[in-house]
Amino acid sequence: MRKARQTRSLVAAWFDFLAPAEAPVAFALHKTIRAVAPDLTDVIRQGNLLMSMNGEPLLAIAPVRDRVHLLIFSGSDLEHELGAMDGAGRRQRLVKFAGGAPVDVARVERIARVCVDFCRRRQQLADGR
């Protein structure tokens, strides 16, 4: 089965479909993450904005009834660096942001940096460097 390539305009249109309380928070999260890691790839998956590096999912912005979750795919491996986060699954953790509330930019920048560094370290180990 072929996959359609997602254009920037499709990703940009995703923000237009968000609830009024969710849109500014999601936009602030995305802008902050992209400032730290401009080489991430954005795609829409299951209604969420997924950001990946070299095909490996790192983060996702997930709107949920008047709030926005920042999903961290390797969150269980990063709790020692980022502190306790919500979620009890095997790997994924999340940080919740209230709709309409200001985003803690410093925290989001730290999450993005730690996730990108972790991904690069894992890829270097996989490549045998």
Side-chain angles (χ1 to χ4, degrees):
M1 180 196 305
R2 283 180 25 193
K3 287 185 179 180
R5 240 181 104 75
Q6 293 189 358
T7 63
R8 282 186 225 157
S9 60
L10 178 61
V11 172
W14 178 81
F15 290 98
D16 295 336
F17 288 97
L18 296 177
E22 299 165 355
V25 175
F27 185 74
L29 290 172
H30 187 251
K31 180 180 175 184
T32 302
I33 293 166
R34 297 298 289 178
V36 171
D39 55 334
L40 295 181
T41 303
D42 295 336
V43 294
I44 307 300
R45 290 268 159 76
Q46 299 176 338
N48 301 325
L49 178 57
L50 173 71
M51 292 165 274
S52 60
M53 175 181 273
N54 299 326
E56 182 177 342
L58 294 183
L59 301 163
I61 299 172
V64 182
R65 280 185 255 143
D66 294 331
R67 65 181 182 266
V68 179
H69 293 173
L70 179 61
L71 307 177
I72 304 162
F73 285 91
S74 296
S76 63
D77 296 326
L78 302 174
E79 282 188 308
H80 66 281
E81 290 183 65
L82 297 173
M85 294 177 275
D86 290 322
R90 191 168 157 216
R91 297 206 40 178
Q92 189 175 8
R93 297 291 184 266
L94 61 101
V95 178
K96 297 176 183 177
F97 295 90
V103 170
D104 183 353
V105 172
R107 184 175 186 196
V108 176
E109 287 174 341
R110 177 156 169 68
I111 290 169
R113 275 193 201 94
V114 169
C115 289
V116 168
D117 290 344
F118 180 75
C119 182
R120 287 185 179 139
R121 285 193 309 265
R122 271 193 3 193
Q123 288 177 348
Q124 287 174 348
L125 288 173
D127 292 342
R129 293 184 212 167

